[in-house]
Amino acid sequence: MTAKNLSTVAVDLIESYGNTAKNVIDAYRAGGERAVSLLEQRWNRALKHSRSELTAETAKNAAAAQIAFSAYYTKGLNLTTSGATQVVTQLVKVLEGSVERVAANAGAFEEKTGVTTLNTLAAATAPGALVLSRLAAQIEQKTAALASKIAGDDVTTATVKRKSAFAERRAARAS
């Protein structure tokens, strides 16, 4: 396995971790939205049961306060989760670019010096990287299922854009 192939595995692994992080963020967002909904329902039930003991102005203020609290919480939840998603996206881009630059530099180094130590190291590291990539893909799938379970039909989970390195290697062997 060459450094380029190892870099492909590393990029796939980084992308999988990024998707896993986005799935966890989506699950957090969905859970927060569900909590707001449950709190609103509970608040409204409590207000309905105690309405006879409250003045009209107090009941009106309580309902307005509940709406304001929910709006602020929801806005904060959306801002933080959107920001976290953007951070993960940018971090994945930077890391993928870094891995690709390191692989290109390693290839150029081997060509100019004739030393194949990096290629040997990549070949030795490849089986472990493939196993780690496979495990990361399974974790990604589990977090996507968890996010879907928490949110119901309201969540879109992150998906891998390309085949895993393991699947690519198996397909290459088959052909």
Side-chain angles (χ1 to χ4, degrees):
M1 172 167 276
T2 65
K4 177 131 176 81
N5 291 337
L6 183 60
S7 71
T8 303
V9 172
V11 166
D12 287 344
L13 185 62
I14 291 167
E15 189 171 320
S16 183
Y17 280 139
N19 288 338
T20 299
K22 288 176 187 177
N23 289 338
V24 170
I25 292 167
D26 289 341
Y28 173 77
R29 179 182 300 161
E33 290 171 353
R34 183 173 278 180
V36 166
S37 175
L38 293 172
L39 287 173
E40 285 176 357
Q41 292 171 8
R42 191 170 185 140
W43 183 280
N44 290 336
R45 276 195 309 266
L47 190 58
K48 183 178 179 181
H49 289 322
S50 62
R51 189 169 294 276
S52 61
E53 299 172 17
L54 302 173
T55 65
E57 184 178 350
T58 303
K60 180 181 171 184
N61 289 340
Q66 183 274 324
I67 291 170
F69 294 148
S70 293
Y72 283 123
Y73 179 81
T74 302
K75 189 174 189 177
L77 182 67
N78 287 334
L79 284 172
T80 56
T81 55
S82 295
T85 300
Q86 288 176 346
V87 166
V88 168
T89 300
Q90 291 303 315
L91 188 59
V92 166
K93 284 180 184 177
V94 167
L95 291 174
E96 286 177 348
S98 298
V99 167
E100 290 169 0
R101 279 191 301 277
V102 167
N105 290 337
F109 175 78
E110 285 184 350
E111 282 179 22
K112 290 184 180 187
T113 62
V115 177
T116 61
T117 306
L118 296 175
N119 196 22
T120 305
L121 181 63
T125 309
L130 286 172
V131 169
L132 188 58
S133 180
R134 187 174 176 195
L135 179 63
Q138 289 174 350
I139 292 170
E140 179 184 351
Q141 290 172 351
K142 296 291 183 183
T143 59
L146 177 64
S148 294
K149 193 175 206 179
I150 290 172
D153 297 331
D154 297 338
V155 72
T156 56
T157 56
T159 56
V160 176
K161 294 176 188 169
R162 56 184 154 222
K163 290 183 186 178
S164 71
F166 183 76
E168 287 177 1
R169 189 169 180 196
R170 190 176 2 183
R173 280 189 198 161
S175 60

